[in-house]
Amino acid sequence: MNNKTKYSLAILMALSIVTGCSSKGEVAPSVSPTATPTSSVSAVSPAASASPPPSSTITQQPSPVPTASPAVSAVPPKNGAIQVIAKPESVTALVNKQYSLPASYEPTDLVYPEIAFVFAEKIEKRKMRSIAASAIEKLFAGAEKDGIHLAGVSAYRSYATQKSIFQRYVLKDGEEKAKMYSAVPGTSEHETGLAIDVTSSDGKCAAEDCFGGTKEANWLDKHAAEYGFIIRYPKGKSAITGYQYEPWHIRYVGVDVSKDLETKKLTMEEYYNAVPVTK
């Protein structure tokens, strides 16, 4: 082999080597130059990897509440002893010493029912929510047909009004005694616009014990449920309701519930399986 031939073969071998290096460069790994061989595997511990990432965290839904139970909010009022109900507008809302209306709650459908009252002025305590106003008109009309003449004493009260009334009773009889016949503001059924105190048309025994046993009280006890009302604080149930017997205080809950309560002889606390009130 002459020198010219040797030179040509050397050039060809050099070109082959250059081309081979260039091909490897085109299929280089896509990982970052700084990545380590283990960078494709999660670096978290097995325990940590078992937990879902923040973006996939599941928010637990509250346990379903029986339809007969009062709905309450998760945040109780400042004193921590009373729960604020979640749906104060419900006609079956349980309002008592343990379940309170929001302090800012005011019914949006208050009207003046067309019934007789023991006073003539069109003032706050003459109002009721429209659905209860319609029902009380029918109740009074039904009583008239049976020769029973009723009159309203006190219906709706605002939070501010109830606060003033309760403070007055506390000054008169002391807080413990006052709580047996008057409600702490926020816990009065009168604030719902669904309750009303009634008496005879002559106004005697208005919101007084002597109303019990009268023909008007007996008629209410027998017929109130027909119109969607209940005697809210019945005789012999003060340890459960927290209030003494009030035959004059009736509360609208709707005909279905009122008849059910009447048939079963239950208070709202018992019906809702709520914790009994003892004071």
Side-chain angles (χ1 to χ4, degrees):
M1 182 181 297
N2 57 32
N3 292 335
K4 184 175 182 180
T5 300
K6 291 179 179 179
Y7 181 72
S8 297
L9 287 172
I11 293 174
L12 288 172
M13 289 177 69
L15 289 172
S16 176
I17 293 170
V18 172
T19 303
C21 291
S22 178
S23 296
K24 289 181 181 178
E26 291 175 359
V27 293
S30 60
V31 295
S32 167
T34 58
T36 64
T38 59
S39 62
S40 61
V41 181
S42 174
V44 296
S45 66
S49 62
S51 301
S55 60
S56 62
T57 300
I58 300 173
T59 301
Q60 287 190 335
Q61 297 299 319
S63 301
V65 179
T67 55
S69 298
V72 297
S73 70
V75 182
K78 292 181 180 180
N79 63 12
I82 304 174
Q83 290 181 291
V84 179
I85 62 176
K87 295 182 179 180
E89 71 283 356
S90 172
V91 296
T92 58
L94 174 60
V95 177
N96 63 9
K97 295 182 178 184
Q98 294 164 328
Y99 295 101
S100 169
L101 294 163
S104 60
Y105 177 69
E106 182 177 340
T108 58
D109 57 344
L110 292 170
V111 297
Y112 293 106
E114 295 296 325
I115 60 172
F117 274 81
V118 295
F119 54 88
E121 300 82 6
K122 279 198 171 184
I123 52 180
E124 178 187 89
K125 66 179 182 178
R126 197 183 186 107
K127 294 180 178 180
M128 296 187 77
R129 286 184 57 187
S130 59
I131 190 170
S134 178
I136 199 66
E137 289 171 355
K138 293 174 183 177
L139 183 149
F140 270 47
E144 287 284 342
K145 289 181 181 180
D146 290 341
I148 301 298
H149 308 290
L150 301 171
V153 177
S154 180
Y156 173 70
R157 296 175 199 156
S158 65
Y159 181 93
T161 298
Q162 185 62 35
K163 182 178 180 179
S164 176
I165 290 173
F166 181 71
Q167 289 177 336
R168 185 169 71 247
Y169 288 138
V170 169
L171 290 174
K172 177 177 177 287
D173 294 323
E175 184 172 349
E176 185 173 353
K177 187 175 180 180
K179 284 182 177 180
M180 285 300 298
Y181 61 85
S182 182
V184 172
T187 67
S188 171
E189 285 205 323
H190 286 281
E191 294 172 66
T192 66
L194 300 169
I196 182 172
D197 295 336
V198 298
T199 190
S200 57
S201 59
D202 58 14
K204 293 180 180 179
C205 296
E208 294 183 9
D209 293 342
C210 59
F211 181 68
T214 64
K215 61 182 181 179
E216 291 84 4
N218 292 337
W219 187 93
L220 282 174
D221 187 59
K222 185 177 180 180
H223 297 284
E226 299 170 17
Y227 302 91
F229 288 89
I230 59 171
I231 305 299
R232 181 64 178 91
Y233 309 118
K235 185 180 293 184
K237 298 280 189 174
S238 60
I240 296 171
T241 65
Y243 294 102
Q244 63 186 33
Y245 173 46
E246 293 188 2
W248 60 84
H249 180 103
I250 59 176
R251 155 73 190 273
Y252 181 78
V253 292
V255 174
D256 290 342
V257 174
S258 66
K259 287 186 175 180
D260 202 18
L261 287 168
E262 171 62 22
T263 299
K264 297 175 180 177
K265 302 300 178 184
L266 298 175
T267 63
M268 290 186 75
E269 285 77 12
E270 293 167 308
Y271 187 70
Y272 288 142
N273 197 28
V275 178
V277 178
T278 56
K279 290 184 179 181

